[in-house]
Amino acid sequence: MDTRLAGIEVAGSTCAMAFPGIELLRVIGIFAVVIIHANAVGLFGEWKTTGFVLDELCRFAVPCFFVVSGFFWKTEAIERPWRAIGALAAKLLPLYAFWLLFYFAAEFSELFYPRLYGRDFIVALVPFSGGPGFHLWFLPALFIGVSLCWLSLRYVGAALTAAACVLLYLAGVIFGTYGDLIGIHLPLVAYRNGIFEAPLFLLSGFMLRRYLPRFTTAQFALLGLAGLALHLAEGFAVSTSSLGHDYSFGTIAAAIGITGLATRLSQARDYGWGRDVLGAYLIHLFILKTVAAHLPVSGPLWALSIAAIVAAVSLGLSRLFKQTPVSRRLVALS
């Protein structure tokens, strides 16, 4: 199995040499994810507007992880989708199951931090939402989105697949992100998943790799900045709390533009940390919740400092876990 399918896993030595900027983007992405979750656990305190803006501006991270995944798809996976899906399931689903149980144990034992999630979760949705490990939704979304795209590309072709991905994305934005404004109230897991959100990002990465030479660095930069600006503006329109929103019309432009820009950073260096981002993603929320429960809140600089430290520690732990074959299976797909 090519570990690049995760989008936040190591791209392999050959690919890292060809696109070192993507490896750097992965590392930047994990720091952005930790800032988002620092806001979610209340580390910005009374500085709600600052936390909200930083939260929104960091929402490029997970969409870029999806785009990167599609960017490195192999044609063999599309030609033989059932075999590739089975191989992906064998790697991805046990990883998800372990961390899901880990976060349930940490949350309900209350040994490390007071219970934040409560007992009112819908059990039937936990396989998709991540339950108390709310960041884990990315893994089942990745699996579902990849599976849908590969099967669709194989059996109905690129044009119909692209049309379906666009329509699903629009449905997720309109009925999910903008749902409250039109009188529709859907739970987050109903539209932040591998059916509505993930497919278009994944397919965009696949198409980006094919048409990469047609675009200039300046075009990617402008697309990324415009997408971020629109995403932020939409956040002020749709958000009813100090938390940012996952995706809307501007998010797809931001993700494509930023990933495209990363492909042009031929001199970028991540010093090998890109291979540790998946493990850091899986474990960071546990560290962040524990730290937030025992340290006082004192403003944005404090929150950003804590977020940076947690991200760095998570990367270090991810690499440490890879020192033995058994522990490696907890933080990597290979």
Side-chain angles (χ1 to χ4, degrees):
M1 166 57 60
D2 187 345
T3 56
R4 289 172 288 183
L5 288 174
I8 50 178
E9 182 61 284
V10 59
S13 58
T14 301
C15 185
M17 292 175 62
F19 297 103
I22 285 184
E23 297 303 291
L24 179 60
L25 176 59
R26 286 189 174 100
V27 176
I28 294 172
I30 190 61
F31 279 84
V33 166
V34 178
I35 291 173
I36 292 169
H37 293 151
N39 187 43
V41 300
L43 281 181
F44 285 90
E46 297 301 317
W47 297 74
K48 296 186 182 300
T49 301
T50 302
F52 172 78
V53 171
L54 290 173
D55 187 326
E56 288 283 4
L57 292 177
C58 287
R59 293 280 171 163
F60 69 88
V62 171
C64 282
F65 291 155
F66 281 125
V67 174
V68 168
S69 174
F71 189 84
F72 292 117
W73 281 350
K74 291 184 175 181
T75 54
E76 304 93 281
I78 297 169
E79 292 169 354
R80 297 180 178 179
W82 292 109
R83 173 186 288 185
I85 290 168
L88 180 61
K91 297 287 187 178
L92 199 59
L93 300 186
L95 195 69
Y96 178 68
F98 170 82
W99 285 101
L100 183 64
L101 293 174
F102 174 86
Y103 278 98
F104 264 108
E107 189 80 13
F108 291 103
S109 69
E110 298 188 79
L111 293 176
F112 304 97
Y113 47 81
R115 188 176 303 156
L116 298 177
Y117 197 76
R119 295 182 181 274
D120 57 346
F121 59 86
I122 302 175
V123 176
L125 296 179
V126 167
F128 307 99
S129 69
F134 51 80
H135 65 309
L136 297 178
W137 71 271
F138 172 80
L139 297 182
L142 176 69
F143 176 72
I144 294 169
V146 166
S147 300
L148 289 176
C149 285
W150 284 350
L151 291 171
S152 183
L153 286 168
R154 173 65 180 85
Y155 293 112
V156 304
L160 288 177
T161 298
C165 289
V166 169
L167 290 175
L168 287 170
Y169 190 85
L170 290 175
V173 171
I174 294 170
F175 298 111
T177 304
Y178 283 93
D180 287 344
L181 298 183
I182 59 177
I184 298 174
H185 305 283
L186 296 177
L188 187 59
V189 70
Y191 60 95
R192 185 184 71 174
N193 55 43
I195 298 175
F196 296 101
E197 178 176 7
L200 185 59
F201 289 120
L202 291 163
L203 185 66
S204 295
F206 180 64
M207 301 303 289
L208 177 64
R209 180 70 178 270
R210 178 176 296 183
Y211 298 109
L212 193 61
R214 297 189 180 186
F215 300 93
T216 67
T217 301
Q219 287 173 327
F220 281 132
L222 288 173
L223 182 63
L225 287 173
L228 275 181
L230 180 56
H231 177 92
L232 177 61
E234 290 178 287
F236 279 107
V238 303
S239 296
T240 57
S241 69
S242 60
L243 302 180
H245 74 294
D246 285 278
Y247 72 104
S248 51
F249 295 114
T251 321
I252 183 65
I256 294 173
I258 291 171
T259 305
L261 182 62
T263 67
R264 302 299 168 83
L265 301 179
S266 59
Q267 302 302 314
R269 294 291 181 271
D270 77 318
Y271 300 99
W273 290 107
R275 71 192 65 175
D276 300 303
V277 168
L278 176 58
Y281 182 89
L282 295 170
I283 200 170
H284 81 275
L285 188 61
F286 169 74
I287 301 171
L288 189 61
K289 285 183 175 182
T290 302
V291 169
H294 296 93
L295 290 181
V297 175
S298 60
L301 290 179
W302 176 253
L304 289 173
S305 298
I306 294 301
I309 292 170
V310 168
V313 169
S314 300
L315 286 168
L317 286 175
S318 177
R319 180 166 295 188
L320 182 63
F321 283 5
K322 292 182 178 179
Q323 301 309 304
T324 70
V326 174
S327 59
R328 178 181 176 83
R329 293 182 180 181
L330 305 180
V331 295
L333 294 179
S334 59

